[in-house]
């Protein structure tokens, strides 16, 4: 049986979508891939070393002097529009797995303080506004606030210092918020901050107010814990559940283990890129005994580097991922095996803010049994990536809520 691996380089966009400037006009210049390559060439005095991404055809999707313009491998290469509003990891992954996420409810917390506060008080919590601002302080430690790292009103966070409260208690408060929240995600976040969280509260776009999470030190100080509580979806129409019901092993790695639903899946949560790659390679090696199956892995540190506006760190993560992709291609050599490298949105570290950027994402498909290279047309939605993976695994693409396979819709190399 064949193995299909989807590697999501979180926040790795390849150029702004036409509507990228609707909220922030400057985002029309977003180009995560190109700007990271340009910056690293100057700062390192050399191009980034990305031979695997070059062999997979990244330079055909995003022409750049530091990327190979040709590849001899029988890959299929293209790019995908997001297929959901804004630029969000949860919505991106759910869409990629086959959910119809075209109608995300956008709701700043400030318009729902009464119902959120009421639900928390009914659950026995002490709730008070923080300095009269449209966010809530719960039990003197947890801030319930707008997420400032995605487009305004898509997600809310429940954040606290782990020195003040256990992560289990933070998650419990987030679940109470989730029960009344109309937004795509409520995210429980616990970490070690450089100071009191109230110090890092700031205004966001679109009448939002929230915690500047990168500024707190949560991403730098180690021990970060995150739990994503998503809006109710019919997960039976998504790729992991369909694969599991067909008897295929399913492994979810990194952030994918936190945000994708599949009761039968083996989960390997991790943030460090080395650990994500280690778990991904182990899952493939474990499937070489004839079981095959589906592996979905998320490389989160690229997205964190984007939020921190740290272009050098972003480039370092890309080089680390590239080494892992080389190893994966060396393992995925059987007929029917597939490695699909893509992303969920952009996160341009040079754009001047710490939000995600609404960009096209690459779709790079390693297919060792193909006769030649295929240039794919732009996909209208990330759901087509999941549908392509389903077809590679011999699953019924029509069982997905949405999405159509990309392979066979392109043309040969010029």
């Amino acid at each position: 049986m064949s193995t299909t691996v989807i590697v999501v380089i979180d926040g790795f966009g390849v150029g702004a979508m036409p509507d990228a400037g609707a909220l922030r006009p400057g985002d029309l210049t977003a180009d995560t891939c190109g700007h990271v390559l340009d910056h690293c060439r100057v700062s390192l005095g050399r191009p980034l070393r990305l031979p695997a991404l070059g062999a997979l055809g990244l330079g055909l999707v995003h022409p750049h002097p530091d990327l190979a313009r040709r590849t001899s491998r029988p890959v299929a290469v293209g790019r995908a529009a997001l297929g959901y509003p804004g630029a969000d990891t949860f919505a991106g992954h759910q869409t990629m797995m086959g959910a119809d996420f075209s109608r995300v409810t956008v709701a700043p917390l400030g318009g729902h303080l009464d119902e959120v506060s009421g639900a928390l008080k009914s659950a026995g919590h002490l709730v008070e506004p923080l300095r009269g601002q449209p966010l809530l302080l719960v039990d003197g430690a947890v801030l319930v606030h707008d997420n400032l790292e995605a487009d305004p009103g898509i997600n809310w966070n429940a954040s606290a210092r782990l020195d003040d409260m256990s992560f289990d208690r933070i998650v419990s408060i987030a679940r109470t918020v989730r029960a009344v929240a109309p937004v795509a995600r409520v995210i429980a976040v616990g970490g070690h901050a450089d100071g009191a969280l109230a110090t890092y509260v700031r205004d966001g776009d679109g009448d939002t107010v929230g915690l500047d999470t990168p500024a707190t030190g949560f991403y730098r100080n180690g021990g970060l814990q995150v739990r994503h509580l998503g809006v109710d979806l019919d997960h039976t129409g998504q790729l992991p559940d369909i694969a599991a019901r067909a008897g295929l092993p399913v492994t979810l790695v990194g952030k994918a283990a936190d945000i994708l639903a599949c009761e039968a899946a083996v989960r390997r949560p991790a943030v460090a890129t080395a650990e994500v790659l280690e778990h991904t390679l182990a899952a493939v090696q474990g499937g070489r005994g004839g079981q095959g199956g589906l592996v979905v892995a998320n490389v989160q540190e690229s997205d964190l580097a984007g939020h921190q506006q740290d272009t050098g760190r972003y480039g370092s993560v890309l080089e680390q991922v590239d080494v892992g992709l080389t190893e994966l291609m060396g393992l995925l050599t059987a007929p029917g095996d597939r490695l699909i490298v893509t992303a969920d949105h952009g996160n341009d570290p040079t754009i001047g803010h710490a939000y995600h950027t609404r960009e096209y994402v690459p779709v790079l498909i390693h297919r060792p049994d193909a006769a030649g290279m295929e240039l794919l047309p732009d996909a209208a939605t990330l759901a087509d990536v999941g549908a392509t993976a389903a077809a590679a695994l011999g699953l019924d693409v029509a069982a997905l809520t949405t999405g159509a396979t990309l392979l066979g819709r392109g043309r040969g190399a010029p």
Side-chain angles (χ1 to χ4, degrees):
M1 294 181 67
S2 63
T3 300
T4 290
V5 179
I6 301 175
V7 174
V8 181
I9 306 176
D10 204 311
F12 189 50
V14 292
M17 289 177 55
D19 60 353
L23 180 65
R24 292 177 290 271
D27 282 11
L28 281 172
T29 65
D31 179 1
T32 302
C33 176
H35 290 158
V36 169
L37 289 170
D38 291 342
H39 179 276
C40 289
R41 172 181 270 276
V42 173
S43 63
L44 298 175
R46 62 166 176 83
L48 286 179
R49 299 186 177 101
L50 305 175
L53 285 166
L56 285 165
L58 180 60
L60 296 171
V61 174
H62 187 294
H64 189 279
D66 294 345
L67 294 172
R69 292 298 302 271
R70 295 184 179 275
T71 177
S72 59
R73 291 180 178 266
V75 295
V77 299
R79 63 179 190 170
L82 302 185
Y84 64 89
D88 176 66
T89 295
F90 179 80
H93 281 71
Q94 302 300 336
T95 300
M96 191 184 301
M97 294 299 107
D100 182 359
F101 233 73
S102 60
R103 296 182 180 273
V104 175
T105 300
V106 177
L109 176 63
H112 297 266
L113 290 177
D114 288 344
E115 54 261 54
V116 174
S117 180
L120 289 164
K121 289 177 179 177
S122 294
H125 297 287
L126 174 65
V127 184
E128 54 189 323
L130 182 70
R131 302 192 296 248
Q133 295 175 293
L135 71 167
L136 300 173
L137 179 64
V138 183
D139 296 341
V142 176
L143 285 180
V144 177
H145 59 93
D146 289 304
N147 180 298
L148 302 185
E149 296 170 69
D151 283 340
I154 290 181
N155 304 320
W156 300 345
N157 283 21
S159 305
R161 303 191 314 169
L162 294 174
D163 303 307
D164 298 332
M165 181 173 286
S166 72
F167 188 61
D168 285 344
R169 286 184 63 195
I170 300 170
V171 172
S172 177
I173 289 169
R175 290 193 188 283
T176 300
V177 176
R178 170 75 276 173
V180 295
V183 295
R185 260 190 304 174
V186 174
I187 309 171
V189 183
H192 299 287
D194 296 332
L197 293 190
T199 307
Y200 304 101
V201 170
R202 64 172 175 83
D203 292 341
D205 290 342
D207 298 321
T208 59
V209 178
L211 188 68
D212 186 342
T213 304
T216 65
F218 274 7
Y219 296 151
R220 298 190 308 272
N221 294 335
L224 178 70
Q225 295 190 65
V226 179
R227 184 76 54 82
H228 301 264
L229 308 176
V231 68
D232 285 340
L233 296 169
D234 179 9
H235 298 294
T236 64
Q238 291 185 283
L239 176 61
D241 206 79
I242 293 168
R245 293 201 308 273
L248 298 178
V250 176
T251 305
L252 305 175
V253 181
K255 200 170 183 178
D258 296 327
I259 59 179
L260 295 179
C262 179
E263 288 188 6
V266 174
R267 297 182 184 274
R268 297 286 184 257
V271 175
T273 300
E275 192 175 354
V276 170
L277 295 172
E278 179 183 347
H279 287 317
T280 304
L281 290 163
V284 174
Q285 290 165 337
R288 292 295 80 191
Q291 287 184 302
L294 171 68
V295 182
V296 183
N298 173 283
V299 176
Q300 185 179 1
E301 286 192 308
S302 47
D303 190 52
L304 297 181
H307 287 309
Q308 294 165 342
Q309 301 175 65
D310 188 339
T311 315
R313 182 188 179 192
Y314 203 121
S316 177
V317 172
L318 286 181
E319 289 193 328
Q320 192 175 6
V321 171
D322 198 270
V323 173
L325 295 177
T326 298
E327 294 183 66
L328 283 168
M329 286 191 287
L331 290 173
L332 296 167
T333 58
D337 282 352
R338 296 288 183 268
L339 169 63
I340 303 175
V341 180
T342 188
D344 48 354
H345 50 72
N347 198 339
D348 188 335
T350 73
I351 204 68
H353 60 70
Y355 293 107
H356 294 154
T357 43
R358 186 165 168 81
E359 299 179 51
Y360 291 100
V361 299
V363 181
L364 314 176
I365 306 174
H366 161 75
R367 41 183 201 156
D369 55 344
M373 194 186 76
E374 184 177 355
L375 296 173
L376 303 171
D378 284 351
T381 171
L382 283 170
D384 291 351
V385 175
T388 302
L393 290 166
L395 301 172
D396 180 10
V397 174
L400 294 164
T401 302
T402 186
T405 183
L406 291 166
L407 295 178
R409 289 157 52 180
R411 56 185 176 86

